[in-house]
Amino acid sequence: MDTLALLGGKKTINHAFKKYNSIGKEEVEAAKKVIESGVLSDFLGSWGDRFYGGENIQLFEKNWKEYFKVKNAITVNSNTSGLIAAVGAIGLEPGDEVILPPWTMSATATAVVIWGGIPVFADIDPRKFTISVESIRKNITKKTKAIIAVDILGQACNLEEIMKIAKENNLYVIEDAAQAPGVKYKDEFIGAVADIGVYSLNYHKHINTGEGGVCVTNNDKLAQRMRLIRNHGEVVVGQNGEQDIVNIIGYNFRMTEVEAAIGIEQLKKLESLIPPRVAVAQRLTEGLSGLKGLLVPEVEKYSEHCYYMYPLVFETKELGLSRAKILEALAAEGIQGIRGGYVNVHLQPMYQKKIAFGKGGFPWSYEHSRKDVSYAKGICPDAERLHEEDFVTVEFCNYEYSMADADLIIQAFKKVWANLDKLK
Ligand SMILES: *Cc1c(COP(=O)(O)O)cnc(C)c1O
């Protein structure tokens, strides 16, 4: 057997993998046209036609809602802004609780805190990494108002069960679909399944506008509330006679005309960007199946997977080696874009110290907030253990791996696995 590169042998992979880039000449042309027109944004923060943005914004939203087969699409300047608009739109009150997983981007939880809400973290499914339905059930209290289901790594959560729990308990469901554009659950695009779905268009997502996001909903009232929050709604409600002004504290979450024009071109490409990535993922799964102590991805029932990242689990106890050591050996073979762990948002200092607004600890210290909400280490044992010990991703969001790259990655894994005892 060949000597591991880490121990002085030859590397398996000797070329740099291609960086992922979804932007082409169509986007350049579209952006140029807008810039030449001189109208880089056409929003007005007062009531009237332009309250809903200019030509490109309105066309992008029309195309988005047609593509995703949903009644309303509301562009915003990021998924973070979209989540803030979504949580505001459902009428969250200070002290209300929102259940969400710890494996997500920090913004999913801060969108709750911004409105004085209390994030409550439910554990993840140890094989699919999506929020655990069982853990959601355990974390429901009288204060629970919503669930944020994060379609982590590129697949849907167990939406069938989550929507059932929501119905039984009268909760809203917001889907953070940042990592899973174009993925279907049963026959519907995710995002449209829940009350509100929020997509990201930041630069490392499948399609991007640099920064950007889109909220989708079939509920016209929630859509209008998100449009108000997007565009200085508190000054607009007096002009258009809006009655329900709870949480209509307007921000400026507007996307520019340039980004919308780029987005129109990017959306056309989404359909063709996903299948090659899925094919590479399937190749990896076939090639890596059967290696002892290595678990390949399991996909949620009824869901597709678009592989924002490709997840693996190293059963480090069984292997008798640390993840770091195995990763070191794989990286030495020349694999790029492979790393261990995922964030656990509940362990961030803001939650550990329960300090957000001011020194007094609002919203946790607020009189209507439940005082025994815990962010202690141990509340999400599977998420914590996987982060610390066993979880690994291949960064499909940063590299455009070819089938030949996949074959080399498989070869490198097999070589390392055949030599594991030499790493001890
Ligand atoms: C990328 C991402 C976000 C944030 O998106 P932005 O558009 O950068 O604000 C939120 N949640 C998840 C799960 C993400 O992957």
Side-chain angles (χ1 to χ4, degrees), residues 77-81 83 103-108 150-152 176-179 199-202 204-205 211-213 308 342:
N77 57 4
S78 70
N79 168 293
T80 302
S81 302
L83 288 168
W103 278 27
T104 182
M105 210 231 146
S106 56
T108 318
V150 180
D151 301 313
I152 196 78
D176 182 343
Q179 301 184 357
Y199 289 99
S200 172
L201 293 167
N202 91 14
H204 53 85
K205 301 294 155 66
E211 304 288 349
Y308 175 67
Y342 206 88

